[in-house]
Amino acid sequence: MAKNDKRFRTWNVTLNYDYEIHDDKGNLISAITPAEWKAKIERLIAFNTDDGWCAYIFHGKDILEDGLPKPLHVHILKNFQEAKTQTAVMKMFSVSREANCTNARSITSSARYLTHRTSQAMDDGKHQYNIDEVQTINCDYFELIKNKSDRTISQKEVDEIVMGLSIDIGNGKLYWLKARDLLIDKFDEIEGIKLWNKYSRIFEKNFKEYIQNKAEDYKLKGRNLTTFFIWGDSEVGKTWLAKCMCLLLSDHIHMVPASGKNKTFDIAGLYDGEKASL
């Protein structure tokens, strides 16, 4: 079964206003206003919520790493009574990139991220949205984000979560260090750290095997790289532009210091499996 044919009941969907009003070359293709776009998204969500439940929120106060505002976007946590494939969900919500439509391995974690209340989001200093900004259909947001630390955690549940994380790491879909925060968000801080201490070496091994397999694959098939050169005067924003381009691919970027006095330009030594190098 192909990965996009696997069926899950609960999905995370992200839609971006800026992407929808521009084409692949950055040309403006729509005059729809932010308010009109929000209304359009709300109609789309309502149309696709005839079963199950849904919670969603518009983010308009996020800040990028360089201090500039992040474009308006919406996070949708959608549950279906019957499991759906990624292809089906992407079609329902007009999602163009697979990375913007992922199954919700942890409903609690996904729900908390709507308001940036996951441990990772808070550590990163992301804007904390008010709970009353979350719109819900057939569900209670407070119930979705409740701490599950008072319940008994079965070994079967732990095994399923750990196996899922291992598979994602081994397939290159998840950077292994991020598994720590996912465990904390799923089981609470104390239990999450316990599990991280127990399984972190397995996750690291999964990641090293992924890198090794990719290297062998590149030896046989080569590597299809797209390279951009940006030049211009100093302090005009070349690094900022390059970083934004990298962030479109992944939040895990290979940053290489420029050569200079007492600096060694070592593009390979710092590589750790990232999708984009800057």
Side-chain angles (χ1 to χ4, degrees):
M1 180 180 290
K3 65 179 182 179
N4 58 352
D5 289 333
K6 294 180 179 178
R7 296 176 180 271
F8 301 94
R9 291 184 58 199
T10 310
W11 291 87
N12 293 305
V13 175
T14 304
L15 300 173
N16 188 296
Y17 167 69
D18 212 38
Y19 291 163
E20 292 199 17
I21 64 172
H22 292 87
D23 62 17
D24 293 340
K25 297 181 180 179
N27 300 313
L28 187 67
I29 58 174
S30 173
I32 187 173
T33 67
E36 292 171 337
W37 182 76
K38 285 184 177 181
K40 170 189 169 183
I41 296 301
E42 289 177 338
R43 290 194 298 271
L44 179 65
I45 293 172
F47 179 78
N48 288 304
T49 314
D50 55 348
D51 67 342
W53 51 263
C54 181
Y56 65 95
I57 183 173
F58 292 97
H59 281 193
K61 299 177 182 178
D62 295 351
I63 302 297
L64 295 170
E65 290 183 357
D66 53 25
L68 293 177
K70 189 173 182 178
L72 172 67
H73 56 285
V74 62
H75 288 285
I76 305 168
L77 178 60
K78 177 69 181 82
N79 170 272
F80 299 93
Q81 287 187 1
E82 299 292 335
K84 307 287 185 184
T85 64
Q86 183 185 52
T87 300
V89 179
M90 289 178 67
K91 184 176 180 180
M92 292 173 69
F93 288 96
S94 301
V95 180
S96 58
R97 299 174 62 219
E98 290 185 357
N100 290 340
C101 182
T102 59
N103 67 294
R105 193 173 300 280
S106 167
I107 292 177
T108 302
S109 176
S110 296
R112 289 176 179 174
Y113 190 79
L114 295 181
T115 52
H116 285 161
R117 279 170 169 75
T118 62
S119 58
Q120 183 63 56
M122 290 187 284
D123 288 345
D124 291 343
K126 291 182 179 290
H127 176 78
Q128 301 289 294
Y129 289 88
N130 294 328
I131 289 178
D132 59 9
E133 295 181 73
V134 178
Q135 303 296 315
T136 60
I137 300 175
N138 300 330
C139 65
D140 184 334
Y141 184 64
F142 286 100
E143 290 296 322
L144 294 179
I145 63 175
K146 271 186 177 180
N147 194 321
K148 304 299 190 295
S149 60
D150 56 345
R151 64 181 174 85
T152 301
I153 302 173
S154 68
Q155 186 60 46
K156 179 181 178 181
E157 181 179 11
V158 171
D159 291 343
E160 289 178 350
I161 295 297
V162 170
M163 182 58 67
L165 294 174
S166 292
I167 291 173
D168 285 347
I169 294 169
N171 290 335
K173 296 174 61 177
L174 176 69
Y175 183 50
W176 73 280
L177 289 176
K178 291 185 178 294
R180 177 182 184 275
D181 296 298
L182 293 177
L183 289 172
I184 291 174
D185 290 329
K186 175 65 178 177
F187 296 108
D188 81 33
E189 187 170 18
I190 294 177
E191 290 299 326
I193 291 177
K194 285 182 180 178
L195 292 172
W196 169 254
N197 291 337
K198 182 177 180 180
Y199 294 105
S200 58
R201 290 186 179 181
I202 294 177
F203 297 146
E204 184 179 14
K205 181 175 180 290
N206 297 146
F207 181 71
K208 289 181 177 179
E209 289 175 350
Y210 161 71
I211 294 296
Q212 183 176 356
N213 290 335
K214 292 297 291 185
E216 294 297 325
D217 190 54
Y218 291 149
K219 286 180 182 178
L220 296 174
K221 302 178 182 179
R223 185 170 184 177
N224 184 21
L225 291 175
T226 300
T227 304
F228 291 88
F229 293 95
I230 304 174
W231 64 94
D233 296 332
S234 299
E235 306 299 327
V236 297
K238 299 188 298 296
T239 301
W240 169 82
L241 176 59
K243 185 182 292 186
C244 289
M245 294 170 68
C246 290
L247 289 171
L248 290 175
L249 296 174
S250 173
D251 59 355
H252 185 217
I253 302 174
H254 178 212
M255 303 285 289
V256 184
S259 58
K261 186 177 181 180
N262 299 324
K263 291 183 179 179
T264 301
F265 184 70
D266 183 11
I267 191 170
L270 299 175
Y271 182 70
D272 196 26
E274 297 88 349
K275 293 182 178 179
S277 297
L278 171 60

